[in-house]
Amino acid sequence: SAKEIAGVRNLAQTTIESHLSSFILNGEVSVIELVDGEKVQFIMDAMEQPFESVTDLKIKLGEEFTYGEIRAVINHSKFLKGKEVSEAS
C-alpha cells in the first residue's frame, strides 16, 4: 500500500500516491490497485457534473474520499479518453 511504501521510503503518503497516480495515465498502474472499485465508480459518477478543481470535487464527494483517490480517478479518466482516441484512429 502507499502507506507502507511511504513508511519504508520515509516519504509522505501523499507523495507516494501522487507518484503512483502518474503511472495510471499511461496504463502502467490500474486505478483499482490504488482505489477501491466502488469509490472509483462513485468518483467517476461525480465527475460527470461540472467541477472547477480537485478541491471542488473533494467538497462534493466529502470526507470519505481523499485527494489522492480523486486524482487517481481523474488520471484514470484521462487514460481511458486517450485510449478511446487511439483505438478510433
Side-chain angles (χ1 to χ4, degrees):
S1 76
K3 186 175 184 175
E4 293 167 339
I5 295 169
V8 169
R9 303 259 181 190
N10 199 26
L11 296 168
Q13 182 174 338
T14 55
T15 301
I16 301 301
E17 288 172 346
S18 175
H19 290 169
L20 291 173
S21 183
S22 69
F23 291 109
I24 293 172
L25 283 170
N26 61 11
E28 289 183 60
V29 172
S30 168
V31 70
I32 300 300
E33 294 179 63
L34 302 179
V35 184
D36 176 75
E38 288 183 20
K39 281 189 167 186
V40 170
Q41 190 57 55
F42 203 91
I43 295 168
M44 293 286 285
D45 290 345
M47 288 172 56
E48 291 180 10
Q49 302 300 315
F51 62 96
E52 297 289 321
S53 64
V54 175
T55 301
D56 184 36
L57 196 52
K58 170 83 168 91
I59 290 167
K60 289 179 184 180
L61 289 166
E63 290 301 313
E64 54 276 1
F65 295 88
T66 68
Y67 282 100
E69 290 169 333
I70 295 166
R71 286 187 187 101
V73 175
I74 289 171
N75 284 351
H76 174 66
S77 177
K78 289 177 182 177
F79 169 72
L80 291 177
K81 287 178 182 164
K83 192 174 174 183
E84 289 172 5
V85 169
S86 65
E87 287 177 355
S89 358

